Amino acid sequence: MDNVKILDCTLRDGGYYNNWDFSTNFAKNYLKVLSKTSVNIIEIGFRKPINNIGSGPSGLSKIGKFLTSSEKDLSKLKFDRNKKISVMIDLSDYTGEEGLNSLKKNFISSKKSVVKIVRIACNFTDKEKLEKIVKYLKNNNYTVCVNLMKFTILTNQEILSFFKIAIRFGADYLYLADSFGNCKPNKILNISKYIKKGGINLNRLGFHSHDNTGDALNNTIASIKMGFGVIDTSIMGMGRGAGNLKLEDFLKYKKKNTELKKVNIFSKKFMKNLYEEYKWGKNKYYIYSAKNNIHPTFVQRFLEEEKFKKDRMIKILKFLKKNKATQYDMNIFDNLFLDVIKHKKVQSKKLNKIAILCDNLHTKNINLKKLRLNGYATSTLNFINFINSKYLDYIFMCNAYRIFTEIEKALSTKNVSLILPHYKILRHLIKRNQNKIINYNIKKNNKIKIQNNFCGYEKNLVLIYALSYCIMQKFEEIKIFGLTKNISNLKILEQIKNFLKKGNYKTKIILK
């Protein structure tokens, strides 16, 4: 038990809350305090093959440097020679010819890098794609760990076969990652016996816990007792969803009181503010998601929305349970929530021109009063906090997630009508607010389709939705303010113009 290695992944897993935007000062103090503990391995972050961080609307402007953990950024930090440094990669980022080229670009020989260990996050179904990645990293002298995600929904035989394939490709360590946070100590004991019987040395195994049900420490203790070689922690448990095993709890369990005191001093100075802001940890929603194999990031995203009404959380989680939402993807709402009720009437407009404002700071200073005086109806794509609703007529909303998180705020705006699909899941809310809601449906369709009561498109996008409604209402002029001119939006505008041309519509679309 005393030989187990401790890997701390605060900067990597904790980054799911602050977009990996830890300051250099934070990182330096984090490394300094860990140098005084029995932590053996420090996972400094992800190494994503991204090169457009901070480049504006088309880039990831809010993403911090520990998502890429580049050699250049790591060179600015001081590392204890007694600690091994690791990074994690997602298998999906480095598959195929293009992915392999990115791998070669992002991973020089470990002899020239501070990074010595690479952990690969992999799903069972993608196991055959590991070979080239593992072999390249091994050839460049990295210690390679293969992390099996979502192992609790797999059979023991599937877990064993996955690990045997990873070993055949050259992996040094094999990880069980409790992605849903629903593992129990007895399950670890059962899996461990099966794997050992299958001929794998349990000292090669690692365990990554999530604390959705409060069992992170008990699960970790069970894995250590079975002979696992590595276990994961993070300071104050900061990590995706409900978080991980707290380093503090593990140090307390090991009776490392001097180390615990030093970590607590660091936490009080650097971690408490993060916790107050993001409030990770066990709650009834994470418990529900764990019990029903729902990816915990759904819960995390819902809780991050301050506008979100928590009394609807279980209702939506039940829907996700029904639809087996084991993979995190916000587009799941497009596919699953587009269940609409037919309706007979769409409210007609009173003006022949409409202004549409996008959620963009460039629209903040648009004079809605002046637009109204010039004969325009005024509207926004989704609810926009900084828009003065006094001179606003309509809010277009069609994306189910945006509706669930923003509808209460939108309904509270006086004298503003909401234009949204008649979702079955919202039928009671729609019925109670009939005087404020105009129903216009959207459906999945391979080609653009615009009709009086609904539009169809390959994706649930509010731009296509709003334009379709305005065209069917025979607005002669649609003036759009603050639209991001990305590939998706330009494609929509081109398709709309072709539709107008073929149908001999008089509607004119103007970008401002």
Side-chain angles (χ1 to χ4, degrees):
M1 184 186 294
D2 291 332
N3 294 326
V4 68
K5 292 182 174 64
I6 307 169
L7 182 151
D8 191 86
C9 56
T10 306
L11 293 186
R12 197 272 305 169
D13 214 351
Y16 281 104
Y17 275 99
N18 70 342
N19 292 318
W20 297 273
D21 196 17
F22 297 96
S23 69
T24 300
N25 181 55
F26 179 99
K28 286 181 177 178
N29 281 278
Y30 165 75
L31 292 169
K32 184 178 180 180
V33 73
L34 288 192
S35 70
K36 300 173 183 177
T37 69
S38 48
V39 168
N40 307 95
I41 306 165
I42 301 171
E43 191 159 75
I44 202 68
F46 273 107
R47 184 160 284 180
K48 286 274 188 181
I50 297 171
N51 56 20
N52 64 341
I53 290 179
S55 60
S58 62
L60 300 169
S61 57
K62 295 182 179 179
I63 301 295
K65 55 183 170 289
F66 293 100
L67 181 63
T68 54
S69 306
S70 68
E71 295 293 338
K72 181 180 177 181
D73 286 328
L74 297 188
S75 68
K76 299 174 184 177
L77 301 173
K78 184 179 180 181
F79 296 96
D80 187 326
R81 292 182 179 181
N82 295 318
K83 309 295 181 185
K84 296 286 187 181
I85 304 301
S86 74
V87 293
M88 178 171 277
I89 63 173
D90 285 316
L91 178 75
S92 58
D93 287 332
Y94 292 101
T95 54
E97 185 177 346
E98 185 179 345
L100 190 59
N101 289 334
S102 292
L103 188 72
K104 293 175 181 177
K105 181 180 177 181
N106 282 282
F107 287 92
I108 58 176
S109 171
S110 71
K111 294 178 181 178
K112 299 177 182 178
S113 173
V114 68
V115 175
K116 303 301 177 187
I117 301 171
V118 180
R119 299 206 296 173
I120 307 170
C122 179
N123 291 314
F124 174 78
T125 52
D126 296 324
K127 55 187 177 295
E128 297 294 341
K129 299 176 183 177
L130 282 166
E131 184 172 9
K132 290 183 179 179
I133 297 171
V134 173
K135 287 184 176 179
Y136 173 82
L137 292 170
K138 288 299 297 177
N139 287 338
N140 283 276
N141 302 300
Y142 289 96
T143 297
V144 177
C145 307
V146 174
N147 288 29
L148 175 59
M149 317 302 285
K150 308 172 189 173
F151 75 88
T152 55
I153 61 174
L154 301 174
T155 65
N156 288 351
Q157 175 55 40
E158 286 173 325
I159 295 170
L160 179 61
S161 67
F162 180 94
F163 284 161
K164 283 189 171 181
I165 287 172
I167 289 171
R168 176 157 52 87
F169 293 157
D172 299 288
Y173 286 95
L174 313 163
Y175 251 84
L176 292 174
D178 186 17
S179 305
F180 300 120
N182 57 8
C183 188
K184 297 293 182 182
N186 283 341
K187 189 170 186 67
I188 293 173
L189 299 179
N190 182 271
I191 291 171
S192 299
K193 290 176 182 178
Y194 191 90
I195 291 173
K196 186 176 182 180
K197 190 176 179 180
I200 295 178
N201 185 343
L202 296 185
N203 189 249
R204 300 182 70 168
L205 265 60
F207 185 75
H208 177 86
S209 60
H210 277 191
D211 205 23
N212 297 51
T213 59
D215 287 309
L217 180 59
N218 290 333
N219 287 331
T220 300
I221 293 170
S223 69
I224 294 171
K225 286 181 177 179
M226 291 306 296
F228 281 39
V230 195
I231 59 99
D232 286 6
T233 67
S234 61
I235 296 180
M236 289 187 71
M238 188 180 187
R240 178 157 64 174
N244 310 315
L245 168 63
K246 298 179 180 69
L247 174 60
E248 295 91 328
D249 285 353
F250 189 69
L251 292 176
K252 186 176 181 180
Y253 162 72
K254 298 287 284 182
K255 298 181 181 179
K256 302 278 187 178
N257 296 325
T258 302
E259 294 181 24
L260 177 60
K261 184 177 180 180
K262 290 174 181 177
V263 172
N264 283 337
I265 292 171
F266 169 83
S267 294
K268 186 176 182 180
K269 186 174 181 181
F270 293 99
M271 295 293 296
K272 290 287 178 67
N273 289 338
L274 286 172
Y275 179 76
E276 287 301 315
E277 182 175 358
Y278 299 110
K279 293 182 172 62
W280 60 86
K282 183 182 76 168
N283 60 42
K284 63 180 180 180
Y285 308 114
Y286 283 123
I287 293 172
Y288 185 92
S289 71
K291 289 181 178 178
N292 295 287
N293 294 325
I294 298 169
H295 200 289
T297 302
F298 282 113
V299 177
Q300 182 179 329
R301 292 290 174 257
F302 292 149
L303 293 174
E304 285 172 354
E305 291 283 352
E306 294 181 1
K307 305 180 290 292
F308 191 70
K309 289 291 182 180
K310 294 180 181 178
D311 58 358
R312 288 200 201 145
M313 281 278 286
I314 295 298
K315 190 174 185 179
I316 295 174
L317 289 174
K318 285 180 179 179
F319 199 96
L320 292 173
K321 171 191 173 183
K322 181 181 177 182
N323 289 280
K324 298 181 172 27
T326 59
Q327 185 77 19
Y328 174 68
D329 179 6
M330 288 310 295
N331 292 324
I332 197 170
F333 290 98
D334 291 348
N335 299 325
L336 302 182
F337 282 68
L338 282 178
D339 190 5
V340 292
I341 298 172
K342 290 183 179 179
H343 54 86
K344 296 179 180 178
K345 188 177 179 182
V346 172
Q347 181 174 315
S348 60
K349 51 86 184 176
K350 298 177 182 178
L351 301 170
N352 64 358
K353 298 189 294 185
I354 187 168
I356 300 176
L357 278 63
C358 302
D359 193 354
N360 188 313
L361 288 176
H362 295 299
T363 63
K364 192 171 185 178
N365 297 319
I366 300 298
N367 191 327
L368 295 180
K369 183 179 180 181
K370 186 176 180 180
L371 283 169
R372 270 193 173 177
L373 290 173
N374 287 331
Y376 288 89
T378 57
S379 67
T380 62
L381 299 184
N382 299 312
F383 176 78
I384 304 177
N385 280 309
F386 57 76
I387 295 294
N388 184 349
S389 61
K390 183 178 180 180
Y391 300 107
L392 188 64
D393 297 306
Y394 305 113
I395 299 174
F396 290 100
M397 305 174 76
C398 66
N399 180 277
Y401 177 67
R402 293 293 296 260
I403 291 173
F404 291 139
T405 56
E406 297 174 356
I407 194 167
E408 297 290 348
K409 200 76 173 178
L411 284 170
S412 69
T413 56
K414 294 181 179 179
N415 304 315
V416 178
S417 294
L418 272 64
I419 303 173
L420 72 158
H422 199 161
Y423 290 119
K424 285 185 180 179
I425 200 168
L426 291 177
R427 58 186 177 274
H428 299 302
L429 183 67
I430 291 172
K431 188 176 181 179
R432 291 199 307 269
N433 295 276
Q434 287 183 7
N435 62 323
K436 283 187 69 71
I437 293 176
I438 300 170
N439 287 135
Y440 183 73
N441 280 343
I442 184 169
K443 301 178 180 180
K444 282 293 181 70
N445 204 62
N446 291 333
K447 296 181 180 180
I448 188 169
K449 190 171 186 178
I450 302 175
Q451 295 192 6
N452 281 327
N453 290 326
F454 76 94
C455 65
Y457 195 61
E458 59 187 355
K459 295 179 181 179
N460 182 349
L461 299 175
V462 70
L463 176 61
I464 191 79
Y465 178 75
L467 291 175
S468 299
Y469 174 83
C470 293
I471 290 168
M472 286 296 98
Q473 287 294 296
K474 298 181 179 178
F475 282 102
E476 293 178 8
E477 182 182 310
I478 304 171
K479 190 172 283 188
I480 308 174
F481 294 85
L483 183 69
T484 302
K485 295 178 182 178
N486 56 31
I487 294 173
S488 174
N489 288 340
L490 292 176
K491 178 184 175 182
I492 289 171
L493 292 176
E494 185 64 29
Q495 289 178 309
I496 288 287
K497 287 177 182 178
N498 289 337
F499 175 86
L500 293 173
K501 187 176 181 180
K502 289 179 181 179
N504 293 316
Y505 289 91
K506 296 180 180 180
T507 304
K508 184 179 180 182
I509 299 174
I510 302 171
L511 287 183
K512 298 295 290 183

